[in-house]
Amino acid sequence: MVEHEPITWRAGGEMGVVNSIEDAWLVIEQGRIAGFGSGEAIPFSDDEVFDCKGGLVLPAFCDSHTHLVYAGNREKEYEDKVRGLSYEEIAKRGGGILNSAARLSETPEDQLFEESLERAMEIVRSGTGAVEIKSGYGLNIADELKMLRVIQRLKAETPLTIRSTFLGAHAFPGEYRNNHEGYVSLIIREMIPAVAGEKLADFIDVFCDRGFFTAEQTGRILEAGIKHGMIPKIHANELDLSGGVQVGVRHGALSVDHLEYLGEDEIAALQKGRTMPTLLPGASLFLGLKYAPARRIIEAGLPVALASDYNPGSSPTGNMELIMSLGMIQMKMLPNELLNAVTLNGAYAMGLEKSHGTISPGKVANLIITTSMPSFGFMPYSYGTSQIRHVILNGIIQ
Ligand code: NIG
Ligand code: FE
């Protein structure tokens, strides 16, 4: 996926476009891509050469939606789900997000960091170079700040490029069960200013869906976030048509994510804005939900990004190769569309399209070297078997 000029995103029919060269060489200088070409005399000396042995060189994955900072896991709850309870029923019983919040609250910050660091390094090995990570298992000021500080430490101590998101509006904590307005007001008046005061979040997110936050509450929370310099990027329409897409586009959201439910009004809203529709097929697989209508979105001339949603409740994996396979098997996306969805379009959904997501001169040297596969389509096709041989981040082999 080589580009000489930086591009913003690929949408509609352009999602099927991937420029590539054969017999290629690529030069890295100080962690950036200095240039590339094919065939002609290679402008560097032999001792610096890394032979890709017939593999493809791809941009590293840009995973624009994760919750990979969390404490413990929810595998017991998943057994309840297998026995027949729905995601919403589990949430209503105090399980789900509230269960993760209870575990996070009793976990010291250092331990939370160690658990999260393991997941961060796991996604590095599986080819991710840039990732967005959300708070949202704190649900009170102290614990939300604890999560966001752990994200800052991951920024400093891993080779990943990380963008952080404040998701205080992920669920209503138990003590606000009958006072939703009280929690919305806590988020707006106290949490957002505290987070902004420590410069801990690039983005603001709200879970705008049936049984969680309404579109009206979402709008007010986004406005407060914007006033404090955070860009909206929201969860919408996982469980129903929530009005989330419209409220997101109206507030200039960088992305609206999930979209398992999507009507004509939502498509029309997206066509008017610059918001990236981001689909999370891991959550559909794990929760048994329907899959978002990727083909309809692309055929409406829009872009699509795919992300892992790595979290303990609805998608406990950050494996972007698997996410691409789900995009192909379940959403009928084609190989080139998948590659654009997990690289350039994911980068756009994090505001990183100028520095990540394609192999272009000047961009960060975040690259995947694959096995000597017959074509790129072999990667999503061979689901469950990784085709990644090496991962290079900031010019360094991981
Ligand atoms: O994106 N939908 C809301 N949030 C997460 C799930 C969080 C959880 O269950 O812990 C999601 O699917
Ligand atoms: Fe999510």
Side-chain angles (χ1 to χ4, degrees), residues 65 67 74 87 96-97 100 137 170 207 235 238 258 280 283 309 311-314:
H65 180 138
H67 312 243
R74 306 225 296 268
Y87 183 74
I97 295 166
S100 286
Y137 295 122
H170 198 190
F207 186 10
H235 284 74
E238 175 181 3
H258 271 294
L280 312 170
D309 199 11
N311 78 76
S314 68

